[in-house]
Amino acid sequence: MGSFKFLLAALLLAGVLYGCNKDEVKNVPANAPTEQNTTQQVNENATEVTEFNFLEFSLDVDYSATESYDVEFENKKSGIEAKLTDDRNNERLQGDEAYTKLEPLFKQLTFDSTTPNDKVIEQVISVFHIADDFQSIEVEVEFADGTEKEFKQMK
């Protein structure tokens, strides 16, 4: 009976650990910045442009209590994770699929840690084609230089 419990626990743990990596991007572009080399590139060569000027990006747009648009992106030493949830278009993407859709949008974002809140929100609304009937929008960013910022707008 004891070995059955051990086997069951091991299988359960394996399932949980497998589920944790669904958002991980497997096909990472060779020029994608990572937490370690982005900071180094920014500090060593200010003229060198990395793919994005941030390591983490989170976007949460609420249209109603049941409709939202969410983006999660992390580029850490352990790898890149990406997730996109769009309730209005019934779209739920993770990992490579999400990254493929988000990459061209991220490349259009030009704001940095000194950009005013309203300009960041305007740019995000434009780039992500956010409909005007949103109730709230929140953007959280960790920039390549380590600065973390939060930008919000309520209607």
CSV table of all heavy atoms in Angstrom, one decimal, residues 37-76:
chain,number,residue,atom,x,y,z
A,37,ASN,N,22.0,39.0,-20.6
A,37,ASN,CA,22.7,39.8,-21.6
A,37,ASN,C,22.1,41.1,-22.0
A,37,ASN,O,22.8,41.9,-22.6
A,37,ASN,CB,23.0,38.9,-22.8
A,37,ASN,CG,21.8,38.6,-23.6
A,37,ASN,OD1,20.7,39.2,-23.5
A,37,ASN,ND2,21.9,37.6,-24.5
A,38,THR,N,20.8,41.3,-21.7
A,38,THR,CA,20.2,42.6,-22.1
A,38,THR,C,20.8,43.7,-21.2
A,38,THR,O,21.2,44.7,-21.7
A,38,THR,CB,18.7,42.5,-21.8
A,38,THR,OG1,18.1,41.5,-22.6
A,38,THR,CG2,18.0,43.9,-22.2
A,39,THR,N,20.9,43.5,-19.9
A,39,THR,CA,21.4,44.5,-19.0
A,39,THR,C,22.9,44.8,-19.4
A,39,THR,O,23.3,45.9,-19.5
A,39,THR,CB,21.4,44.0,-17.6
A,39,THR,OG1,20.0,43.7,-17.3
A,39,THR,CG2,21.8,45.1,-16.6
A,40,GLN,N,23.6,43.7,-19.7
A,40,GLN,CA,25.0,43.8,-20.1
A,40,GLN,C,25.1,44.6,-21.4
A,40,GLN,O,25.9,45.6,-21.6
A,40,GLN,CB,25.6,42.5,-20.3
A,40,GLN,CG,27.1,42.4,-20.4
A,40,GLN,CD,27.6,41.0,-20.4
A,40,GLN,OE1,26.9,40.1,-20.9
A,40,GLN,NE2,28.7,40.8,-19.8
A,41,GLN,N,24.2,44.3,-22.4
A,41,GLN,CA,24.3,45.0,-23.7
A,41,GLN,C,23.9,46.5,-23.5
A,41,GLN,O,24.5,47.4,-24.1
A,41,GLN,CB,23.3,44.4,-24.7
A,41,GLN,CG,23.7,43.1,-25.2
A,41,GLN,CD,22.6,42.4,-26.1
A,41,GLN,OE1,21.5,42.9,-26.1
A,41,GLN,NE2,23.0,41.4,-26.7
A,42,VAL,N,22.9,46.8,-22.7
A,42,VAL,CA,22.5,48.2,-22.5
A,42,VAL,C,23.6,49.0,-21.8
A,42,VAL,O,23.9,50.1,-22.2
A,42,VAL,CB,21.2,48.2,-21.6
A,42,VAL,CG1,21.0,49.6,-21.1
A,42,VAL,CG2,20.1,47.7,-22.4
A,43,ASN,N,24.3,48.4,-20.9
A,43,ASN,CA,25.4,49.1,-20.1
A,43,ASN,C,26.7,49.2,-21.0
A,43,ASN,O,27.3,50.2,-20.9
A,43,ASN,CB,25.7,48.4,-18.8
A,43,ASN,CG,24.5,48.5,-17.8
A,43,ASN,OD1,23.7,49.4,-17.9
A,43,ASN,ND2,24.5,47.6,-16.9
A,44,GLU,N,27.0,48.1,-21.7
A,44,GLU,CA,28.3,48.1,-22.4
A,44,GLU,C,28.2,48.9,-23.7
A,44,GLU,O,29.2,49.5,-24.1
A,44,GLU,CB,28.7,46.7,-22.7
A,44,GLU,CG,29.2,46.0,-21.5
A,44,GLU,CD,29.6,44.5,-21.8
A,44,GLU,OE1,29.5,44.1,-23.0
A,44,GLU,OE2,30.0,43.9,-20.8
A,45,ASN,N,27.1,48.9,-24.4
A,45,ASN,CA,27.0,49.5,-25.7
A,45,ASN,C,25.6,50.1,-25.9
A,45,ASN,O,24.7,49.5,-26.4
A,45,ASN,CB,27.3,48.5,-26.8
A,45,ASN,CG,27.4,49.1,-28.2
A,45,ASN,OD1,27.2,50.3,-28.3
A,45,ASN,ND2,27.7,48.2,-29.2
A,46,ALA,N,25.5,51.4,-25.5
A,46,ALA,CA,24.2,52.0,-25.5
A,46,ALA,C,23.6,52.2,-26.9
A,46,ALA,O,22.4,52.4,-27.0
A,46,ALA,CB,24.3,53.4,-24.8
A,47,THR,N,24.4,52.1,-27.9
A,47,THR,CA,23.9,52.3,-29.3
A,47,THR,C,23.4,51.0,-29.8
A,47,THR,O,22.7,51.0,-30.8
A,47,THR,CB,25.0,52.8,-30.2
A,47,THR,OG1,26.1,51.9,-30.2
A,47,THR,CG2,25.5,54.2,-29.8
A,48,GLU,N,23.7,49.9,-29.2
A,48,GLU,CA,23.2,48.6,-29.7
A,48,GLU,C,21.8,48.4,-29.3
A,48,GLU,O,21.4,48.6,-28.2
A,48,GLU,CB,24.1,47.5,-29.1
A,48,GLU,CG,23.7,46.1,-29.6
A,48,GLU,CD,24.6,45.0,-29.1
A,48,GLU,OE1,25.7,45.3,-28.7
A,48,GLU,OE2,24.1,43.9,-29.1
A,49,VAL,N,20.9,48.1,-30.3
A,49,VAL,CA,19.5,47.9,-30.0
A,49,VAL,C,19.2,46.5,-29.8
A,49,VAL,O,19.5,45.6,-30.7
A,49,VAL,CB,18.7,48.5,-31.2
A,49,VAL,CG1,17.2,48.3,-31.0
A,49,VAL,CG2,19.0,50.0,-31.4
A,50,THR,N,18.5,46.2,-28.7
A,50,THR,CA,18.1,44.8,-28.5
A,50,THR,C,16.7,44.7,-29.1
A,50,THR,O,16.0,45.6,-29.4
A,50,THR,CB,18.1,44.4,-27.0
A,50,THR,OG1,17.2,45.4,-26.3
A,50,THR,CG2,19.5,44.5,-26.4
A,51,GLU,N,16.2,43.4,-29.1
A,51,GLU,CA,14.9,43.2,-29.7
A,51,GLU,C,13.8,44.0,-29.1
A,51,GLU,O,12.9,44.6,-29.7
A,51,GLU,CB,14.6,41.7,-29.7
A,51,GLU,CG,13.3,41.4,-30.5
A,51,GLU,CD,13.2,39.9,-30.8
A,51,GLU,OE1,13.9,39.1,-30.2
A,51,GLU,OE2,12.4,39.6,-31.6
A,52,PHE,N,13.7,43.9,-27.7
A,52,PHE,CA,12.7,44.7,-27.0
A,52,PHE,C,13.5,45.5,-25.9
A,52,PHE,O,14.5,45.0,-25.4
A,52,PHE,CB,11.7,43.9,-26.3
A,52,PHE,CG,11.1,42.8,-27.2
A,52,PHE,CD1,11.1,41.5,-26.7
A,52,PHE,CD2,10.6,43.1,-28.4
A,52,PHE,CE1,10.5,40.5,-27.5
A,52,PHE,CE2,10.1,42.1,-29.2
A,52,PHE,CZ,10.0,40.8,-28.8
A,53,ASN,N,12.9,46.6,-25.4
A,53,ASN,CA,13.6,47.3,-24.3
A,53,ASN,C,13.1,46.9,-22.9
A,53,ASN,O,13.3,47.6,-22.0
A,53,ASN,CB,13.5,48.8,-24.5
A,53,ASN,CG,12.1,49.3,-24.4
A,53,ASN,OD1,11.2,48.6,-24.5
A,53,ASN,ND2,12.0,50.6,-24.1
A,54,PHE,N,12.5,45.7,-22.8
A,54,PHE,CA,11.9,45.2,-21.6
A,54,PHE,C,12.2,43.7,-21.4
A,54,PHE,O,12.3,43.0,-22.4
A,54,PHE,CB,10.5,45.5,-21.4
A,54,PHE,CG,9.6,45.1,-22.6
A,54,PHE,CD1,9.1,43.8,-22.7
A,54,PHE,CD2,9.3,46.0,-23.6
A,54,PHE,CE1,8.4,43.4,-23.7
A,54,PHE,CE2,8.5,45.6,-24.6
A,54,PHE,CZ,8.0,44.3,-24.7
A,55,LEU,N,12.2,43.3,-20.2
A,55,LEU,CA,12.4,41.9,-19.8
A,55,LEU,C,11.0,41.2,-19.5
A,55,LEU,O,10.8,40.0,-19.6
A,55,LEU,CB,13.3,41.7,-18.7
A,55,LEU,CG,14.7,42.2,-18.9
A,55,LEU,CD1,15.6,42.2,-17.6
A,55,LEU,CD2,15.4,41.4,-20.0
A,56,GLU,N,10.1,42.0,-18.9
A,56,GLU,CA,8.8,41.6,-18.6
A,56,GLU,C,7.8,42.6,-19.0
A,56,GLU,O,8.0,43.8,-18.9
A,56,GLU,CB,8.7,41.4,-17.0
A,56,GLU,CG,9.5,40.3,-16.5
A,56,GLU,CD,9.3,40.0,-15.0
A,56,GLU,OE1,8.2,40.3,-14.5
A,56,GLU,OE2,10.2,39.5,-14.4
A,57,PHE,N,6.7,42.1,-19.5
A,57,PHE,CA,5.6,42.9,-20.0
A,57,PHE,C,4.3,42.2,-19.6
A,57,PHE,O,4.1,41.1,-19.9
A,57,PHE,CB,5.7,43.1,-21.5
A,57,PHE,CG,4.6,44.0,-22.0
A,57,PHE,CD1,4.8,45.3,-22.2
A,57,PHE,CD2,3.4,43.4,-22.5
A,57,PHE,CE1,3.8,46.2,-22.7
A,57,PHE,CE2,2.4,44.2,-23.0
A,57,PHE,CZ,2.6,45.6,-23.1
A,58,SER,N,3.4,43.0,-18.9
A,58,SER,CA,2.1,42.4,-18.6
A,58,SER,C,1.0,43.5,-18.9
A,58,SER,O,1.2,44.7,-18.6
A,58,SER,CB,2.1,42.2,-17.0
A,58,SER,OG,0.7,41.8,-16.6
A,59,LEU,N,0.0,43.0,-19.6
A,59,LEU,CA,-1.1,43.9,-20.1
A,59,LEU,C,-2.4,43.3,-19.6
A,59,LEU,O,-2.6,42.1,-19.9
A,59,LEU,CB,-1.0,44.1,-21.6
A,59,LEU,CG,-2.2,44.8,-22.3
A,59,LEU,CD1,-2.4,46.2,-21.8
A,59,LEU,CD2,-2.1,44.7,-23.8
A,60,ASP,N,-3.2,44.1,-19.0
A,60,ASP,CA,-4.5,43.6,-18.5
A,60,ASP,C,-5.5,44.6,-18.9
A,60,ASP,O,-5.5,45.7,-18.3
A,60,ASP,CB,-4.5,43.4,-17.0
A,60,ASP,CG,-5.8,42.8,-16.5
A,60,ASP,OD1,-6.6,42.3,-17.3
A,60,ASP,OD2,-6.1,42.9,-15.3
A,61,VAL,N,-6.4,44.3,-19.8
A,61,VAL,CA,-7.5,45.2,-20.3
A,61,VAL,C,-8.8,44.5,-19.9
A,61,VAL,O,-9.1,43.4,-20.3
A,61,VAL,CB,-7.4,45.4,-21.8
A,61,VAL,CG1,-8.6,46.3,-22.3
A,61,VAL,CG2,-6.1,45.9,-22.3
A,62,ASP,N,-9.6,45.3,-19.1
A,62,ASP,CA,-10.9,44.8,-18.7
A,62,ASP,C,-12.0,45.5,-19.5
A,62,ASP,O,-12.0,46.8,-19.5
A,62,ASP,CB,-11.2,45.0,-17.2
A,62,ASP,CG,-10.3,44.0,-16.4
A,62,ASP,OD1,-10.1,42.9,-16.8
A,62,ASP,OD2,-9.8,44.5,-15.3
A,63,TYR,N,-12.8,44.8,-20.3
A,63,TYR,CA,-13.9,45.3,-21.0
A,63,TYR,C,-15.2,45.2,-20.2
A,63,TYR,O,-16.0,46.1,-20.2
A,63,TYR,CB,-14.1,44.6,-22.3
A,63,TYR,CG,-13.0,44.8,-23.3
A,63,TYR,CD1,-12.0,43.9,-23.6
A,63,TYR,CD2,-12.9,46.0,-24.0
A,63,TYR,CE1,-11.0,44.1,-24.5
A,63,TYR,CE2,-11.9,46.3,-24.9
A,63,TYR,CZ,-10.9,45.3,-25.1
A,63,TYR,OH,-9.9,45.5,-26.0
A,64,SER,N,-15.3,44.1,-19.4
A,64,SER,CA,-16.5,43.9,-18.6
A,64,SER,C,-16.0,42.9,-17.5
A,64,SER,O,-14.9,42.4,-17.5
A,64,SER,CB,-17.7,43.4,-19.4
A,64,SER,OG,-17.4,42.0,-19.8
A,65,ALA,N,-17.0,42.4,-16.7
A,65,ALA,CA,-16.7,41.4,-15.7
A,65,ALA,C,-16.3,40.1,-16.3
A,65,ALA,O,-15.6,39.3,-15.7
A,65,ALA,CB,-17.8,41.3,-14.7
A,66,THR,N,-16.7,39.9,-17.5
A,66,THR,CA,-16.4,38.6,-18.2
A,66,THR,C,-15.6,38.6,-19.4
A,66,THR,O,-15.2,37.6,-20.0
A,66,THR,CB,-17.8,37.9,-18.6
A,66,THR,OG1,-18.5,38.8,-19.5
A,66,THR,CG2,-18.6,37.6,-17.3
A,67,GLU,N,-15.2,39.8,-19.8
A,67,GLU,CA,-14.4,40.0,-21.0
A,67,GLU,C,-13.1,40.8,-20.7
A,67,GLU,O,-13.2,41.9,-20.2
A,67,GLU,CB,-15.1,40.8,-22.1
A,67,GLU,CG,-16.2,40.0,-22.8
A,67,GLU,CD,-16.8,40.7,-24.0
A,67,GLU,OE1,-16.9,42.0,-23.9
A,67,GLU,OE2,-17.1,40.1,-25.0
A,68,SER,N,-12.0,40.2,-21.1
A,68,SER,CA,-10.7,40.8,-20.9
A,68,SER,C,-9.7,40.4,-22.0
A,68,SER,O,-9.9,39.5,-22.8
A,68,SER,CB,-10.1,40.5,-19.5
A,68,SER,OG,-9.8,39.1,-19.4
A,69,TYR,N,-8.6,41.2,-22.0
A,69,TYR,CA,-7.5,40.9,-22.9
A,69,TYR,C,-6.3,40.9,-22.1
A,69,TYR,O,-6.0,41.9,-21.4
A,69,TYR,CB,-7.5,42.0,-24.0
A,69,TYR,CG,-6.4,41.8,-25.0
A,69,TYR,CD1,-6.6,41.0,-26.2
A,69,TYR,CD2,-5.1,42.4,-24.9
A,69,TYR,CE1,-5.6,40.9,-27.1
A,69,TYR,CE2,-4.1,42.2,-25.8
A,69,TYR,CZ,-4.3,41.5,-26.9
A,69,TYR,OH,-3.3,41.3,-27.9
A,70,ASP,N,-5.5,39.8,-22.0
A,70,ASP,CA,-4.4,39.7,-21.1
A,70,ASP,C,-3.2,39.2,-21.9
A,70,ASP,O,-3.3,38.3,-22.7
A,70,ASP,CB,-4.7,38.7,-20.0
A,70,ASP,CG,-5.8,39.2,-19.1
A,70,ASP,OD1,-5.7,40.3,-18.6
A,70,ASP,OD2,-6.8,38.4,-18.9
A,71,VAL,N,-2.0,39.9,-21.6
A,71,VAL,CA,-0.7,39.5,-22.2
A,71,VAL,C,0.2,39.3,-21.0
A,71,VAL,O,0.3,40.2,-20.2
A,71,VAL,CB,-0.2,40.5,-23.2
A,71,VAL,CG1,1.2,40.2,-23.6
A,71,VAL,CG2,-1.1,40.6,-24.4
A,72,GLU,N,1.0,38.2,-21.0
A,72,GLU,CA,2.1,38.0,-20.1
A,72,GLU,C,3.3,37.6,-20.8
A,72,GLU,O,3.3,36.7,-21.7
A,72,GLU,CB,1.7,36.9,-19.1
A,72,GLU,CG,0.5,37.2,-18.2
A,72,GLU,CD,0.7,38.3,-17.2
A,72,GLU,OE1,1.9,38.5,-16.8
A,72,GLU,OE2,-0.2,39.0,-16.9
A,73,PHE,N,4.4,38.3,-20.6
A,73,PHE,CA,5.7,38.0,-21.2
A,73,PHE,C,6.8,38.1,-20.2
A,73,PHE,O,6.9,39.1,-19.5
A,73,PHE,CB,5.9,39.0,-22.4
A,73,PHE,CG,7.3,38.8,-23.0
A,73,PHE,CD1,7.6,37.9,-23.9
A,73,PHE,CD2,8.3,39.7,-22.6
A,73,PHE,CE1,8.9,37.8,-24.5
A,73,PHE,CE2,9.6,39.6,-23.2
A,73,PHE,CZ,9.9,38.6,-24.1
A,74,GLU,N,7.6,37.1,-20.1
A,74,GLU,CA,8.8,37.1,-19.2
A,74,GLU,C,10.0,36.6,-20.0
A,74,GLU,O,9.9,35.6,-20.7
A,74,GLU,CB,8.6,36.3,-18.0
A,74,GLU,CG,7.6,36.8,-17.0
A,74,GLU,CD,7.6,36.0,-15.7
A,74,GLU,OE1,8.5,35.1,-15.5
A,74,GLU,OE2,6.7,36.3,-14.9
A,75,ASN,N,11.1,37.3,-19.9
A,75,ASN,CA,12.4,36.9,-20.5
A,75,ASN,C,13.4,36.8,-19.4
A,75,ASN,O,14.0,37.8,-19.1
A,75,ASN,CB,12.7,37.9,-21.6
A,75,ASN,CG,13.9,37.4,-22.4
A,75,ASN,OD1,14.5,36.4,-22.1
A,75,ASN,ND2,14.3,38.1,-23.4
A,76,LYS,N,13.6,35.7,-18.8
A,76,LYS,CA,14.5,35.5,-17.7
A,76,LYS,C,15.6,34.5,-18.1
A,76,LYS,O,15.6,33.9,-19.1
A,76,LYS,CB,13.7,35.0,-16.5
A,76,LYS,CG,12.7,35.9,-15.9
A,76,LYS,CD,13.3,37.1,-15.3
A,76,LYS,CE,12.4,38.1,-14.7
A,76,LYS,NZ,13.0,39.2,-14.1
